[in-house]
């Protein structure tokens, strides 16, 4: 069971979310924060290696869920975190749309 570093874990998470019909809509210049939205969706899911800063909150008020990957994780752990983030995202969207 090998561990993925934060950069590889982030890439795996982004790929897993994209496989569920999300597209990258923004990425910071360092590449450590990625925002994805489902096609036609109003809200974004953020994947990063750090918590959101006030500037990020101001620049991306549409981001309703964050998946933060700071520590090395196994592929299975990343996949489980992606599944949880997608559930949280769906719940937040329902709350805000309803």
């Amino acid at each position: 069971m090998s561990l993925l570093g934060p950069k590889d874990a982030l890439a795996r998470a982004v790929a897993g979310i994209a496989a569920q019909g999300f597209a990258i809509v923004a990425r910071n210049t360092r590449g450590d924060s990625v925002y994805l939205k489902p096609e036609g969706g109003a809200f974004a899911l953020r994947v990063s290696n750090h918590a959101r800063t006030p500037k990020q909150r101001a620049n991306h008020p549409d981001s309703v869920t964050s998946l933060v990957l700071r520590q090395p994780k196994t592929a299975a752990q990343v996949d489980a975190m992606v599944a949880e983030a997608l559930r949280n995202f769906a719940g937040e969207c329902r709350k805000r749309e309803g």
Side-chain angles (χ1 to χ4, degrees):
M1 165 179 4
S2 65
L3 294 176
L4 301 172
K7 184 176 179 179
D8 291 333
L10 188 137
R12 183 176 182 91
V14 169
I17 294 166
Q20 298 300 313
F22 286 66
I24 295 172
V25 295
R27 182 186 302 260
N28 70 355
T29 54
R30 291 181 311 274
D32 59 4
S33 291
V34 180
Y35 295 82
L36 301 101
K37 286 185 179 182
E39 185 175 336
F43 301 111
L45 193 160
R46 176 180 174 268
V47 181
S48 186
N49 66 0
H50 61 278
R52 289 174 73 189
T53 65
K55 181 179 177 182
Q56 288 168 323
R57 288 184 192 283
N59 288 341
H60 296 281
D62 58 336
S63 179
V64 298
T65 302
S66 287
L67 170 55
V68 178
L69 298 155
R70 288 188 183 123
Q71 304 297 323
K73 303 281 182 200
T74 66
Q77 287 173 319
V78 173
D79 295 346
M81 292 175 77
V82 165
E84 181 180 9
L86 289 168
R87 284 191 303 275
N88 292 342
F89 177 82
E92 283 297 321
C93 289
R94 281 192 300 276
K95 277 198 265 186
R96 292 168 192 243
E97 291 171 346

